[in-house]
Amino acid sequence: MGILHGAMVANLVPVIAARWREPTALAANPTPISDAIRWSLAAMAIGVFASGLRDLYAACGLPGGGWPWSKPEGNREAAAVEARA
């Protein structure tokens, strides 16, 4: 694997060096998008951000972070074993 990696790098380095000196030809080309799509995407982005904040809040274990799910009270497995005995 080491020999194959060395051969790949030996062939790749000259190509990268040659392309490094060339112009990129990247240019901004804005696409016309309707305002409805822009607002829809903005609303979805805000929703994703809010969801991430809620996940962070829950991961920190802060009060109410597990809503609508609640933590089990006590150890259910131990209670089930005691109930069978």
Side-chain angles (χ1 to χ4, degrees):
M1 293 301 287
I3 294 172
L4 290 175
H5 180 71
M8 180 195 68
V9 170
N11 285 314
L12 191 61
V13 167
V15 173
I16 291 175
R19 289 187 181 179
W20 190 266
R21 290 181 231 108
E22 296 177 2
T24 61
L26 293 176
N29 188 8
T31 305
I33 299 175
S34 70
D35 285 339
I37 292 176
R38 287 180 192 264
W39 283 105
S40 298
L41 292 175
M44 286 189 265
I46 291 169
V48 168
F49 183 73
S51 175
L53 288 178
R54 183 184 181 282
D55 289 345
L56 176 65
Y57 186 84
C60 290
L62 298 173
W67 180 86
W69 302 278
S70 60
K71 292 182 180 179
E73 298 295 328
N75 190 348
R76 290 186 180 189
E77 292 178 12
V81 171
E82 290 177 10
R84 287 186 224 148

